[in-house]
Amino acid sequence: MEVDTLQDAQETKNGGNDFKENGSLDPVVYQLVRVEGDGTLVPPTEDEVLQIEQFLDDKVDLPSIDDVGNVEDFFTNDCMLLKEPDFEEGYSELETNGEIHTQQFDADLEVDRLKPSVDSLDIPSKCTVDHDHKPDKLNTEQGDNNIVHQDNASTETPKSTVLNDSCSAEKEKTDACSRSVNNSSTGPSVSGVTSSVPDFSILRGEVCLDNLTIRELQEAFRATFGRETTVKDKLWLKRRITMGLTNSCDVQSSGCVVKDYKIVCKDAKHELPTIEGIPKAEVEATSLVRYQVLGPGNERDTPSCSYYRSEDQQRSSNRLKGVSTDNDESEGTLQDEQGAAKRLRKPTKRYIEELSDTETLGSTGKLSSPGKMAAHGEVLLRQRVTPLQEVDSLSITYPTRKDTFGGFSVHVPYASRMRRGRPRRNFISFLDDDPPVECPEVQMAVETMSGKDGEHVNHVNSAVEVPLMKNTEKKGGHIETAEKKGGHIETADNKEIHSIEADDICRSDAKTKTKRGFKRKHHRAWTLSEVLKLVDGVAQFGPGKWSEIRRLSFASYSYRTSVDLKDKWRNLIRASQTQLSPENDGVCPRKSNPSIIPVPPAILLRVKELAELQSQAGNLAAAIKFSGQSSKVAQGRGSSGFL
DNA sequence: CTTAGGG
DNA sequence: CCCTAAG
């Protein structure tokens, strides 16, 4: 398994209010999209993006090389997990995944008009059965409805006769689906899928996929996944089907017979290591542990579930489940604890498919698709609109953007882009402004990737150039984290230097942009050297001469404006007073925040002295104004040299 | 444009 | 950092 697999397996996520703490996400990647009234997809607003950024935090970690192994491990186990008790549930849950999100849209946006797009976006079989069955429950008008579906699906299918039941369930779903499709006026009907019922008999008993024709395989695929596939690749189909039936990722591309959802290798005649043999409890435990690894989001229940369902709702839905209550119970518990523990999410069926896809395609794991990330906005949208069948048959590359974390250049999902400016209010402007938005990223790359170049100009000390605050870039907490994880405190020098150019671009860009700080100036932590320069500058030119100081001492730091200097100085003074004078037991007020490297007391001392000078200067201005002296005065123990 | 201050 | 009011 490769990192890219994870990223490729994107899920449709809608904007709106569903991004909150609990909005658990796939361990994979989400693509934030908003469905417009007419069914078209639109990039998320920055606000929306922001809302999920925190989740992506964990996600971002995934691709990190170190985690790959774990991830793989995880999926393997998880696959097995699905198999056992709630096989069905696993499935329906997984399948409903996309739908759920989309459905939430119904609440957020215009309900009726969305249906079509929903259908077109998602797997046919995903259509809501429950609208028919449990009209009373959650699926009223609130965004909570979605949950029931999967629950029902799982509930209504006794475990014993898994296959057949699942078939019927699927059938129902399909029917319901077609209904809803038909009901909706404009909906692009799902090609044929809804018209006929898959031939589930094909999956009955011992299935030897090798003996099936492509058509049969496709049928089997449909019976397995509840949707059609246009893929004609036998190998691919076989793998998919096998995986689907066995719920295992570990499937050989051929020579396997599926019997009772277990893989039986023709040749080896032995079952692949599935959940069999592993104590249920152990498995469960495993899952628990794993769940904690991945993300705040959780998953046994679909994201929306955990978030949208109130406690009561959850209970009621649990009741609905009936059969699989015990499992649900634990799930519920898990959910309750999810806040504290990170858990992994079951790989979605789609993920599984994607997985095999990449494998089949001989993917060695290109980390993503750099080439296609160009116009993410649009490209991405189109992709989402494409019928799923096609989506998984093609080697879709999902839009990502390159970003740098802790020195690693990785592609992160489009949605995880950091917000740079003030929230954008409308999509149009969002799109229009896209280029500039990219700037920070570029900068990041430049900063972290390239080695230091030029700018040794009047550089006094490049030694201590560590940002005073480690969370240099990106205000958002999570990126910060990512950076830390990257683990290196690069010499700020690097940072500064490279940032300069990029930032300049950015700034000019921002400034040219629509007035009112559409973009907030990229936050740059003040480095020690900068502070020193500032202090020196103040000492030399006197306080208030910001423009001068900037011109002379900060010639190389084009991103520091005189105002910045002024602000910083103000802060320094504050710090010196707070942190120094009351003889604070050496504990800085901002203590316990490891990410903040306090300004060395030595400097603060100077600041303080200068500050005192200033205040006194108020009365005896003349003394300081004669710069020549003032600097000396300042450097020489302040008040002493003073008249 | 530069400063000073408040936010 | 941003924004504004004042020189």
Side-chain angles (χ1 to χ4, degrees):
Chain A
M1 174 172 324
E2 297 295 338
V3 171
D4 62 305
T5 310
L6 292 175
Q7 295 187 331
D8 284 349
Q10 294 202 1
E11 294 288 345
T12 307
K13 196 74 169 93
N14 51 26
N17 54 8
D18 51 333
F19 292 115
K20 299 229 175 148
E21 187 44 63
N22 285 341
S24 57
L25 299 183
D26 235 75
V28 199
V29 166
Y30 279 85
Q31 178 182 312
L32 190 57
V33 171
R34 174 184 289 285
V35 178
E36 281 287 39
D38 59 351
T40 56
L41 298 181
V42 186
T45 63
E46 297 258 55
D47 276 341
E48 291 165 343
V49 170
L50 262 191
Q51 289 179 18
I52 64 162
E53 279 177 359
Q54 110 182 60
F55 302 118
L56 296 172
D57 176 15
D58 299 74
K59 232 156 289 293
V60 168
D61 294 339
L62 263 185
S64 88
I65 299 156
D66 310 29
D67 289 347
V68 173
N70 294 333
V71 171
E72 180 172 2
D73 193 23
F74 150 61
F75 275 109
T76 304
N77 279 284
D78 234 283
C79 284
M80 304 190 331
L81 221 174
L82 287 182
K83 193 180 189 285
E84 239 315 70
D86 41 6
F87 173 115
E88 284 306 310
E89 182 186 344
Y91 260 16
S92 40
E93 170 182 328
L94 294 175
E95 290 183 2
T96 17
N97 209 337
E99 166 203 350
I100 281 169
H101 305 319
T102 7
Q103 277 192 28
Q104 284 162 7
F105 260 146
D106 292 0
D108 296 336
L109 305 173
E110 302 132 274
V111 181
D112 291 334
R113 305 178 59 189
L114 280 178
K115 286 281 178 176
S117 65
V118 168
D119 290 336
S120 67
L121 281 177
D122 233 278
I123 308 172
S125 66
K126 246 108 251 119
C127 291
T128 61
V129 196
D130 319 296
H131 285 310
D132 302 321
H133 294 179
K134 325 272 181 186
D136 54 320
K137 276 303 171 185
L138 312 172
N139 49 341
T140 43
E141 296 116 24
Q142 301 303 328
D144 319 48
N145 35 8
N146 35 49
I147 303 86
V148 186
H149 315 320
Q150 56 180 5
D151 291 345
N152 279 343
S154 56
T155 313
E156 293 165 0
T157 60
K159 260 190 275 180
S160 52
T161 49
V162 194
L163 189 46
N164 288 331
D165 280 40
S166 84
C167 292
S168 56
E170 299 254 35
K171 196 190 253 175
E172 281 183 17
K173 283 200 240 172
T174 308
D175 292 341
C177 182
S178 58
R179 270 198 299 275
S180 77
V181 170
N182 294 335
N183 291 343
S184 53
S185 49
T186 43
S189 62
V190 193
S191 54
V193 183
T194 51
S195 56
S196 61
V197 181
D199 179 15
F200 296 106
S201 61
I202 204 166
L203 296 180
R204 236 162 275 210
E206 193 171 282
V207 181
C208 182
L209 299 175
D210 283 347
N211 298 335
L212 301 180
T213 67
I214 291 181
R215 181 155 312 212
E216 287 170 322
L217 284 173
Q218 289 182 341
E219 188 59 28
F221 180 94
R222 183 170 155 204
T224 306
F225 296 106
R227 63 185 180 80
E228 279 189 337
T229 179
T230 58
V231 179
K232 297 190 176 56
D233 183 341
K234 258 191 170 183
L235 196 68
W236 184 90
L237 287 167
K238 281 187 285 188
R239 289 178 62 94
R240 289 297 166 88
I241 295 167
T242 308
M243 288 192 301
L245 291 177
T246 62
N247 236 336
S248 168
C249 300
D250 191 8
V251 175
Q252 296 175 359
S253 39
S254 66
C256 288
V257 171
V258 176
K259 185 174 184 178
D260 297 333
Y261 310 113
K262 277 179 278 190
I263 304 173
V264 181
C265 278
K266 242 179 184 176
D267 329 305
K269 293 280 192 222
H270 71 277
E271 296 181 1
L272 292 181
T274 56
I275 202 169
E276 268 36 73
I278 301 174
K280 210 191 233 174
E282 193 173 320
V283 174
E284 205 60 38
T286 308
S287 76
L288 282 179
V289 173
R290 302 221 170 259
Y291 280 175
Q292 296 180 340
V293 181
L294 243 186
N298 51 331
E299 4 349 24
R300 291 238 19 173
D301 259 324
T302 355
S304 48
C305 277
S306 51
Y307 178 64
Y308 276 84
R309 269 195 288 181
S310 68
E311 289 257 317
D312 289 345
Q313 288 171 326
Q314 294 196 22
R315 288 209 184 82
S316 61
S317 69
N318 274 345
R319 265 182 263 126
L320 287 177
K321 290 188 181 182
V323 183
S324 48
T325 355
D326 42 357
N327 289 311
D328 299 332
E329 219 75 287
S330 57
E331 287 176 22
T333 314
L334 282 181
Q335 284 183 24
D336 295 340
E337 301 170 332
Q338 55 121 22
K342 296 183 174 185
R343 281 178 281 156
L344 282 184
R345 192 184 201 289
K346 284 183 201 165
T348 64
K349 181 178 292 181
R350 189 156 157 209
Y351 168 80
I352 295 176
E353 292 177 13
E354 306 269 356
L355 167 64
S356 90
D357 215 344
T358 48
E359 280 178 358
T360 308
L361 297 179
S363 77
T364 329
K366 26 156 203 193
L367 258 177
S368 59
S369 49
K372 308 207 177 177
M373 56 177 266
H376 26 311
E378 292 145 317
V379 171
L380 143 145
L381 293 183
R382 266 179 228 119
Q383 287 177 347
R384 301 314 302 169
V385 178
T386 2
L388 200 57
Q389 290 92 327
E390 299 199 4
V391 168
D392 67 10
S393 59
L394 305 175
S395 63
I396 293 290
T397 49
Y398 292 87
T400 58
R401 72 195 169 87
K402 199 173 183 180
D403 214 329
T404 325
F405 296 115
F408 290 98
S409 171
V410 298
H411 287 278
V412 299
Y414 167 74
S416 72
R417 127 180 311 140
M418 290 303 299
R419 189 195 105 189
R420 264 297 174 293
R422 301 191 163 159
R424 285 202 182 73
R425 283 308 165 200
N426 62 67
F427 307 124
I428 316 300
S429 68
F430 172 74
L431 287 175
D432 290 343
D433 289 337
D434 217 25
V437 179
E438 220 56 290
C439 188
E441 267 77 43
V442 175
Q443 172 187 346
M444 281 294 286
V446 176
E447 286 183 25
T448 28
M449 299 297 287
S450 49
K452 75 193 293 181
D453 50 44
E455 209 266 19
H456 301 295
V457 211
N458 80 35
H459 223 316
V460 187
N461 53 349
S462 52
V464 226
E465 300 250 272
V466 177
L468 296 179
M469 309 218 283
K470 266 170 87 186
N471 51 335
T472 324
E473 314 295 347
K474 315 217 172 188
K475 61 181 270 181
H478 78 269
I479 292 298
E480 169 188 353
T481 319
E483 271 195 330
K484 279 185 203 157
K485 282 190 178 164
H488 59 278
I489 306 177
E490 45 195 331
T491 85
D493 219 14
N494 264 346
K495 232 167 193 159
E496 292 174 8
I497 293 167
H498 303 304
S499 325
I500 292 173
E501 289 182 4
D503 198 55
D504 281 347
I505 299 170
C506 261
R507 299 189 100 242
S508 60
D509 212 72
K511 285 188 174 174
T512 11
K513 261 325 171 200
T514 339
K515 43 159 108 194
R516 285 264 158 109
F518 220 36
K519 283 191 189 328
R520 193 191 184 95
K521 184 184 170 187
H522 191 114
H523 174 70
R524 315 197 76 92
W526 276 73
T527 65
L528 207 56
S529 75
E530 281 180 308
V531 172
L532 282 174
K533 284 179 199 270
L534 176 58
V535 173
D536 282 338
V538 172
Q540 270 181 56
F541 308 105
K545 305 291 183 189
W546 308 122
S547 62
E548 292 244 318
I549 298 176
R550 189 192 101 86
R551 242 200 343 263
L552 301 178
S553 299
F554 284 75
S556 48
Y557 301 86
S558 55
Y559 48 86
R560 297 293 183 205
T561 70
S562 53
V563 175
D564 291 330
L565 301 188
K566 181 259 303 176
D567 285 340
K568 181 56 180 175
W569 182 252
R570 182 172 51 180
N571 290 334
L572 281 176
I573 292 181
R574 269 184 215 156
S576 68
Q577 291 171 343
T578 311
Q579 205 170 140
L580 232 46
S581 68
E583 232 29 291
N584 265 339
D585 22 15
V587 185
C588 38
R590 286 268 185 269
K591 70 175 176 187
S592 76
N593 189 339
S595 68
I596 296 181
I597 300 173
V599 179
I603 296 181
L604 284 180
L605 211 79
R606 282 189 70 186
V607 172
K608 191 178 181 180
E609 290 174 355
L610 286 173
E612 287 172 359
L613 264 184
Q614 289 173 44
S615 57
Q616 296 178 31
N619 306 325
L620 312 164
I624 293 182
K625 290 258 172 172
F626 302 147
S627 58
Q629 271 212 342
S630 68
S631 73
K632 299 234 169 185
V633 171
Q635 309 222 0
R637 282 298 141 194
S639 45
S640 57
F642 192 64
L643 194 273

